[in-house]
Amino acid sequence: MPKNAQSQEQRRNMMLNEPISRIIPKMAIPTIVAFLINSIYSLADTYFVSSLGTNATAAVSVNASLDQLIMMCGSMLAIGANSYIARLLGQGDDQKASRVLSTSFFLAFGIGLVLTVFGISFMTPMVRLLGATPTCEQYSIEYATYVLLAAPFMASSFVMNQCLRSEGSATLSMIGMGVGGVLNCFLDPVFIFGIPAIGIPAMGVAGASLATAISKLVSFAILIYPYIFRKSLLRLSIRNFHPNWDIISNVVSVGSSSMFRSALAVVAGILLNDLAGNISDSVLAGIGVSTKIMMFPFSIILGFGSGFQPVAGFNWGAKRFDRVRQSYQFSAILSLVGAAVMAGLIAIFADQLIVLFSGDDAHMRQYGALCIRLQCLALPIHAWVAVVNMFCTGLGNAFGAFLLATSRQGTCFIPLLYPFASLWGADGICAVQAAADVLTMALAVPLIIYMLKKVKKAEDEFRQGDPL
C-alpha cells in the first residue's frame, strides 16, 4: 500500500476505533494550542497598542467587530463543510468530500474579496458603523486598512482549518494557525515602534494591522501546503469546484448557524461599542480588553469542541452510534470540570491581568476586571452549551446548531443590552454577556435531550436493518 494511502487508512481507523478518551484530546489539543496562540497574538496587538494611549486601545476594541465580519465571510462555509465532510468520510465517499472542500474554499475566497473592495471603498463610514468614537476614529481606520487587504486569505483559511480537522489532521491545522500567531507577536513591536537602524519606520496602530495581515498570509500558505502536495485525504482543486444544490444546501444548512452567530456577534459588538463609547473611551477599552482576555478560556472551550465535533460526525456517518454517545458524555463532563477550574483562576487574577493593558487608567481597570469576573461565573455553562452546539453541528442538526450558535451573542444577548445599560449603566453593560450565557442553558437542555433520543432511535433502526 502506498505511504499516503496507508496514512489515510490510519486516520480513518483512528476515528472509528481509537478510545474516545484518547482520540478527542488528541484531536482537540492541537486545535486548542492553535486557538490559544491566536488569542495571544490578538492580545499582543492590544498590549503593544495600549502604549499609544486609551484611544488607540479603544480603536483595537472597535476593530474586533471587523475581525468578526471577516470570520462571518468564511465561517458559514467552513463549519458547514467540516460537518458534511466528516460525515462523507465516515461513509467512505472521499471524492465528494473533496468537491465540498474545493467549492467551500473558492466561495470563501470570493466573498472575502468582495468585503475587501467594499471595506476599502467605504472605510470611514465602516469604522463609524463599527462603533468608533471621534477620538479613536483615525486609529480605527489605520488598523482596518491592512486587515481588509488580507480578508480573502483569512476567509478561505477558515475553510482549510476546519476541513483539516474533519479528516483528523488537527496537528496540521494547529501548525497553520500557530505559526502565524507566533509571527504576529514578533512583528507587532517591529512595525508599531519601528527599527530605525535598519530603516523600518514606526507605524503605530497601522503597524499592528500590517503585522496581522502578514501573519494571516503566512498561515494561509502553511494551510494550503498539504492540499497542494497531497498530504491530506482531500483534494483542493478548481476542477473540484462544483457549487451544485446538494453541496450548497448541506454546507449552508449547517454552516448558516455559524454565519448568523458571527453576524449577530458583529451587531452585538457594534451596539456594545456604541453604548460603552457614549460613556467613555475608558469603558470601551476596558470591556474590549476583558473580551480579549476571556478569549483564552473561550479558545480552550472552542478548541475542545472542534476536536469533539468531527469525532461525533465521523462516527455518525459510519453508524457507530455507541461512539457518538460516548463522545458526547466524555466531552460534556470534561468541559464542565475544565471550565470551572479556569473560571476560578482567572477571576482570582482579574485585576493583575487587566492592569497590563490599562496603565494609569483607573476606570478602564475597574470595568475590565468586573467584566472578567462576571463572565467567569457563567463560564462552565458556556462550556457545556458549546459542546451541545458542536454535537448538533457534527450530526448535521442545522436547526439546533443555529439555535445555540445565535443565542450567546444574539437572541440571548441583544435583548438584554439596552435594559441592562439603562438600569445599571457601565456595570450593566459589563454584566450582559454573563447573563446571556446563563440564558443559553434554557435552550440547550431540551435540545440535548432531543439529540440523545435521535441517536438512540437511529441506533435501533440500524439494528433492525431499516434505513436511517
Side-chain angles (χ1 to χ4, degrees), residues 205-243:
V205 173
S209 177
L210 179 58
T212 297
I214 292 173
S215 301
K216 296 296 186 182
L217 291 175
V218 170
S219 289
F220 175 89
I222 294 171
L223 289 169
I224 204 169
Y225 170 83
Y227 294 116
I228 292 177
F229 292 95
R230 298 182 178 273
K231 303 291 184 181
S232 68
L233 287 172
L234 307 176
R235 298 287 174 262
L236 176 60
S237 169
I238 191 64
R239 291 191 297 272
N240 284 328
F241 180 71
H242 290 283

Side-chain angles (χ1 to χ4, degrees), residues 98-293:
S98 293
R99 293 196 200 105
V100 174
L101 163 69
S102 299
T103 302
S104 301
F105 173 88
F106 289 109
L107 286 176
F109 193 93
I111 294 171
L113 188 60
V114 171
L115 178 61
T116 297
V117 172
F118 276 89
I120 291 177
S121 301
F122 303 98
M123 181 72 77
T124 300
M126 183 193 72
V127 298
R128 290 176 180 171
L129 179 64
L130 294 177
T133 63
T135 51
C136 72
E137 181 180 297
Q138 185 55 41
Y139 287 125
S140 297
I141 291 172
E142 291 175 12
Y143 191 85
T145 301
Y146 292 105
V147 171
L148 277 170
L149 292 174
F153 302 94
M154 294 168 67
S156 52
S157 289
F158 289 132
V159 173
M160 291 189 289
N161 255 313
Q162 290 290 339
C163 293
L164 283 170
R165 291 178 202 142
S166 69
E167 64 175 76
S169 301
T171 300
L172 291 174
S173 171
M174 177 195 72
I175 294 171
M177 292 181 66
V179 171
V182 172
L183 179 63
N184 193 91
C185 293
F186 284 102
L187 293 181
D188 262 336
V190 171
F191 292 126
I192 292 173
F193 306 116
I195 306 178
I198 58 174
I200 299 178
M203 298 176 64
V205 173
S209 177
L210 179 58
T212 297
I214 292 173
S215 301
K216 296 296 186 182
L217 291 175
V218 170
S219 289
F220 175 89
I222 294 171
L223 289 169
I224 204 169
Y225 170 83
Y227 294 116
I228 292 177
F229 292 95
R230 298 182 178 273
K231 303 291 184 181
S232 68
L233 287 172
L234 307 176
R235 298 287 174 262
L236 176 60
S237 169
I238 191 64
R239 291 191 297 272
N240 284 328
F241 180 71
H242 290 283
N244 57 45
W245 172 249
D246 176 69
I247 291 176
I248 297 299
S249 61
N250 273 281
V251 169
V252 171
S253 64
V254 174
S256 59
S257 63
S258 181
M259 183 196 70
F260 282 109
R261 176 180 60 197
S262 297
L264 287 170
V266 171
V267 173
I270 291 171
L271 297 176
L272 186 67
N273 291 338
D274 183 60
L275 288 172
N278 285 338
I279 298 173
S280 71
D281 277 3
S282 295
V283 175
L284 176 58
I287 293 176
V289 169
S290 70
T291 299
K292 296 206 171 187
I293 290 173

Side-chain angles (χ1 to χ4, degrees), residues 355-372:
V355 77
L356 294 172
F357 306 88
S358 61
D360 297 327
D361 193 329
H363 281 95
M364 182 177 168
R365 289 199 301 272
Q366 174 188 346
Y367 292 112
L370 174 63
C371 195
I372 289 172

